[in-house]
């Protein structure tokens, strides 16, 4: 029945992966959508678990209508057997032989067994993850990544406390603060280390992104209404507590990015949601030999990487939000459908998506330039006792010693001398922090495997390479 | 103060799991991390070197700070494992392989 249709493995079921699966599925390609969550939706469209029976999930979510359209499209494709959705599959490696690909994925939350999927093409829609820079007290329970607080709130409808401070830098802090507030937490402060003026002055760009403008106004209005104190050019310099978070110290920053003496004050809170921007997931692309441009996967106008048969879309090709991910996913899915069928796509067919892509990219380039340089002097607030690598409990003092006394000049040497980045998360959490404290350039890490894999799985995988099926 | 309210959630029947031998209520679909948070528990691991308390941090399976022992199996990420009736959740000490 379906033997002659080319198979496209789409890895990731967030905005980019869903848009790509729908576009390719509509154009004659058999799509296998592989995702680590129980439900297709990614982080942006993360929904309350079905068992929670949420009748008004939009109270804590954005762009519900777009999600409903995607969900309906996916259901149609699933029913017609054009798309297969493999949930709870954690892809750890994609192998390429002369003509085809084998996608290896660990199964379920236990992740002790691996399955393999064969495909003619691969579309990487692996998204991004949060960057969190270290500061004294950031390992205390109650301190969470801003997106993590949002994920538990959106998916599990839970709050870890009553009074929250949202801190760091970047556009994600706004929806996190409004989400916590809408869920019933008292948001004592939104602490942003940059100054909004830097971005608001880009009025020309605002005119290119009216939807984003509306979103910003909605968030700002909500914060005003909920009487959230918004502190710009401020930073959380320390989180306090013994067994868990009890308060934070907030200070104003001067033009150089240093805390202004005398401005420090304590704010009592039991949740600190903190984030300093996002980083693209590039492990699978790197393993396939795809070219990276700085921290992101290179993709051409069709969203093709430089490896034949591999497309990339969404935040893996650069952080740019859900609208950009949808546009890129749509283009990638159409390109893959045409190319895998042996044809050449006509870009005129996706002109509206291409225009949306251009608009979103210039908007986010401006956002990035406004936020990227903050907080500028954060390493000066990281005391020697501060743990910078959470898994291996490596302190900033140890990293400084590796650089200062032992002469390490790059991240790899710092890692070998201190074990920073050698633990469970393989540096995903600590890399920007360690690089900053060490004064080394932050380059995308080269990880052979995109996830920790049990040795038994690796041994079994060698015995049964390319087992078809799921 | 209850996020179930604004979302007008009408969850399925709550069930119990145990955390360090005490009973905790969970709702269908919640992960172990969510169930613990909802019960006011924010730490369920001590670190290998410093014995420091840790709980959930990234919330999406990237950071491994929320490792926990579930039904005798250590090193599972509480933010990924669904809560189920009768699950035996225990604070993980160190590597989790010592007890």
């Amino acid at each position: 029945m379906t033997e002659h249709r080319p198979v496209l493995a789409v890895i990731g079921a967030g905005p980019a992966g869903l848009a790509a699966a729908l576009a390719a599925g509509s154009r004659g390609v058999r799509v296998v959508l592989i995702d680590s969550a129980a439900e297709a939706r990614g982080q942006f469209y993360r929904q309350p678990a079905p068992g929670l029976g949420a009748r008004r999930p939009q109270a804590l979510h954005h762009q519900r209508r777009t999600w409903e359209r995607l969900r309906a499209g996916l259901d149609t494709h699933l029913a017609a057997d054009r798309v297969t959705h493999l949930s709870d599959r954690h892809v750890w490696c994609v192998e390429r032989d002369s003509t085809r690909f084998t996608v290896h994925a660990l199964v379920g939350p236990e992740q002790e067994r691996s399955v393999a999927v064969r495909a003619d093409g691969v579309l990487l829609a692996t998204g991004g993850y949060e960057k969190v820079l270290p500061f004294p007290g950031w390992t205390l329970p109650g301190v969470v990544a801003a997106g993590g607080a949002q994920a538990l709130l959106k998916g599990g409808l839970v709050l870890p406390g009553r009074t929250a401070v949202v801190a760091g830098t970047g556009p994600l802090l706004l929806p996190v603060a409004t989400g916590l507030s809408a869920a019933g937490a008292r948001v004592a402060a939104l602490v942003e280390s940059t100054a909004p003026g830097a971005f608001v002055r880009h009025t020309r760009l605002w005119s290119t992104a009216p939807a984003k403008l509306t979103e910003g106004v909605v968030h700002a209005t909500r914060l005003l209404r909920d009487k959230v104190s918004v502190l710009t050019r401020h930073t959380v310099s320390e989180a306090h507590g013994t067994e868990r978070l009890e308060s934070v110290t907030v200070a104003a920053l001067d033009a150089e990015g240093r805390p202004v003496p005398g401005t420090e004050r304590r704010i009592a809170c039991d949740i600190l949601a903190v984030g300093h921007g996002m980083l693209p997931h590039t492990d699978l692309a790197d393993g396939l030999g795809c070219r990276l441009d700085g921290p992101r996967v290179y993709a051409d106008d069709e969203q093709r990487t430089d490896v034949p048969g591999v497309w990339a879309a969404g935040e893996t090709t650069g952080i740019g939000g859900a609208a950009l991910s949808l546009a890129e996913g749509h283009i990638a899915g159409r390109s893959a459908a045409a190319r895998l069928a042996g044809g050449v796509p006509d870009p005129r067919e996706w002109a509206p998506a291409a225009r949306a892509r251009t608009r979103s990219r210039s908007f986010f380039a401006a956002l990035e330039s406004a936020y990227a340089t903050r907080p500028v002097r954060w390493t000066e607030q990281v005391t020697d006792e501060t743990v910078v690598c959470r898994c291996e409990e490596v302190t900033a003092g140890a990293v400084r010693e590796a650089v200062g006394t032992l002469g390490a000049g790059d991240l790899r040497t710092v890692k070998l001398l201190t074990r920073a980045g050698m633990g469970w998360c393989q540096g995903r959490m600590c890399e920007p922090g360690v690089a900053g404290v060490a004064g080394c350039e932050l380059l995308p890490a080269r990880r052979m495997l995109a996830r920790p894999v049990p040795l038994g799985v690796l041994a079994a995988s060698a015995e049964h390479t390319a087992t078809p099926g799921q | 103060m209850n996020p179930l309210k604004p979302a007008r959630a009408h969850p399925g029947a709550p069930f119990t799991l145990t955390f360090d031998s005490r009973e905790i209520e969970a709702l269908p679909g919640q992960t172990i991390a969510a169930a613990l948070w909802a019960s006011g528990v924010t730490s369920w691991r001590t670190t290998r070197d410093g014995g420091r308390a840790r709980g959930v941090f990234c919330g999406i399976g990237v950071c491994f700070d929320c490792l926990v022992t579930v039904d005798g199996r250590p090193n599972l990420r509480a933010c990924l494992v669904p809560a189920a009736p009768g699950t035996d959740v225990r604070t993980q000490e160190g590597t989790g392989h010592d007890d």
Side-chain angles (χ1 to χ4, degrees):
Chain A
M1 292 191 296
T2 57
E3 288 90 319
H4 304 298
R5 277 197 280 163
V7 175
L8 175 68
V10 175
I11 302 171
L18 282 169
L22 300 192
S26 301
R27 288 166 183 83
V29 173
R30 166 139 200 87
V31 175
V32 185
L33 179 61
I34 309 170
D35 188 73
S36 58
E39 309 276 336
R41 36 122 178 109
Q43 297 304 332
F44 186 79
Y45 296 122
R46 185 185 273 264
Q47 302 294 310
L52 292 168
R55 295 183 191 168
R56 201 170 161 270
Q58 60 270 38
L60 304 172
H61 291 72
H62 309 289
Q63 294 169 25
R64 177 87 190 160
R65 265 185 234 143
T66 312
W67 159 248
E68 280 165 355
R69 272 202 300 277
L70 290 168
R71 179 72 244 182
L74 180 63
D75 285 342
T76 306
H77 280 316
L78 290 172
D81 208 23
R82 291 188 289 263
V83 175
T84 306
H85 176 210
L86 302 180
S87 59
D88 271 323
R89 303 295 199 283
H90 306 256
V91 177
W92 52 274
C93 170
V94 182
E95 277 183 291
R96 176 170 176 257
D97 58 34
S98 55
T99 54
R100 298 195 80 199
F101 298 88
T102 309
V103 180
H104 296 277
L106 295 164
V107 182
E110 298 85 8
Q111 303 186 24
E112 288 183 337
R113 188 169 65 85
S114 189
V115 293
V117 174
R118 295 278 279 157
D120 302 290
V122 172
L123 198 154
L124 303 168
T126 46
Y129 61 102
E130 256 186 304
K131 174 170 139 187
V132 185
L133 299 172
F135 55 92
W138 77 309
T139 53
L140 278 170
V143 181
V144 287
Q150 194 181 35
L152 274 124
L153 181 57
K154 281 155 92 173
L157 301 179
V158 288
L159 282 172
R162 291 171 178 278
T163 307
V165 169
V166 178
T169 189
L172 177 65
L173 300 186
L174 278 170
V176 170
T178 54
L180 288 168
S181 184
R186 191 175 75 82
V187 180
L190 169 60
V191 185
E192 165 62 61
S193 64
T194 191
F199 186 68
V200 172
R201 277 194 293 274
H202 286 272
T203 42
R204 195 165 41 85
L205 280 155
W206 282 109
S207 66
T208 66
K212 283 281 147 199
L213 179 61
T214 315
E215 210 177 299
V217 169
V218 167
H219 288 311
T221 311
R222 170 113 215 176
L223 293 176
L224 272 174
R225 201 193 71 197
D226 294 353
K227 299 188 174 58
V228 173
S229 136
V230 178
L231 305 170
T232 58
R233 278 188 191 272
H234 276 67
T235 192
V236 166
S237 55
E238 189 169 357
H240 311 276
T242 44
E243 286 299 296
R244 63 153 303 156
L245 177 71
E246 289 160 16
S247 64
V248 294
T249 296
V250 171
L253 295 171
D254 65 15
E256 302 288 306
R258 290 196 173 90
V260 180
T263 62
E264 298 88 354
R265 63 188 168 104
R266 285 256 194 145
I267 300 178
C269 59
D270 49 9
I271 312 170
L272 173 61
V274 63
H276 297 97
M278 301 270 299
L279 293 166
H281 268 301
T282 55
D283 297 346
L284 292 174
D286 188 49
L288 276 161
C290 300
R291 186 179 118 202
L292 302 185
D293 272 351
R296 58 187 71 105
V297 180
Y298 160 83
D300 69 7
D301 284 350
E302 284 182 34
Q303 298 299 136
R304 289 180 298 177
T305 70
D306 66 336
V307 173
V310 182
W311 285 258
E315 312 243 75
T316 189
T317 68
I319 302 305
L324 177 58
S325 296
L326 287 171
E328 289 190 358
H330 180 78
I331 293 166
R334 292 185 77 134
S335 164
R339 299 268 174 200
L340 291 176
V344 176
D346 179 356
R348 282 174 302 187
E349 289 177 6
W350 63 62
R355 282 195 296 273
R357 181 175 62 181
T358 305
R359 271 199 311 273
S360 288
R361 278 189 187 157
S362 49
F363 182 80
F364 270 84
L367 258 189
E368 206 172 79
S369 67
Y371 283 110
T373 53
R374 302 281 172 172
V376 280
R377 303 272 182 185
W378 63 270
T379 56
E380 293 173 15
Q381 291 154 53
V382 180
T383 59
D384 280 350
E385 297 73 39
T386 305
V387 164
V388 287
C389 165
R390 300 174 69 98
C391 301
E392 292 293 318
E393 296 173 79
V394 179
T395 62
V399 170
R400 286 171 178 145
E401 191 193 7
V403 175
T405 314
L406 304 174
D410 60 274
L411 262 191
R412 187 177 160 77
T413 310
V414 170
K415 177 175 172 174
L416 292 171
L417 290 170
T418 65
R419 292 194 62 80
M422 272 192 192
W424 293 293
C425 87
Q426 287 289 289
R428 284 175 181 83
M429 280 294 121
C430 68
E431 212 149 51
V434 173
V437 169
C440 298
E441 196 187 349
L442 178 64
L443 299 166
R446 310 206 67 135
R447 301 181 185 97
M448 265 173 53
L449 307 176
R451 295 178 183 273
V453 182
L455 286 172
V457 165
L458 289 177
S461 160
E463 287 161 24
H464 318 285
T465 309
T467 309
Q470 48 181 46
Chain B
M1 179 40 223
N2 183 353
L4 294 167
K5 260 192 210 159
R8 289 202 202 125
H10 296 264
F15 56 84
T16 57
L17 49 85
T18 58
F19 173 64
D20 290 345
S21 303
R22 80 178 159 102
E23 288 203 335
I24 280 193
E25 194 167 272
L27 296 174
Q30 286 181 333
T31 59
I32 286 176
L36 290 174
W37 262 20
S39 300
V41 180
T42 49
S43 69
W44 47 82
R45 174 168 91 84
T46 58
T47 62
R48 290 169 296 171
D49 290 341
R52 299 289 168 84
R54 296 280 177 88
V56 75
F57 182 64
C58 84
I60 62 169
V62 176
C63 80
F64 294 78
D65 253 318
C66 68
L67 293 177
V68 72
T69 299
V70 181
D71 290 332
R73 292 181 45 205
N75 292 318
L76 291 181
R77 280 168 280 182
C79 74
L80 297 182
V81 183
T87 308
D88 175 31
V89 180
R90 285 181 190 275
T91 294
Q92 176 169 324
E93 313 276 351
T95 62
H97 291 290
D98 300 328
D99 43 13

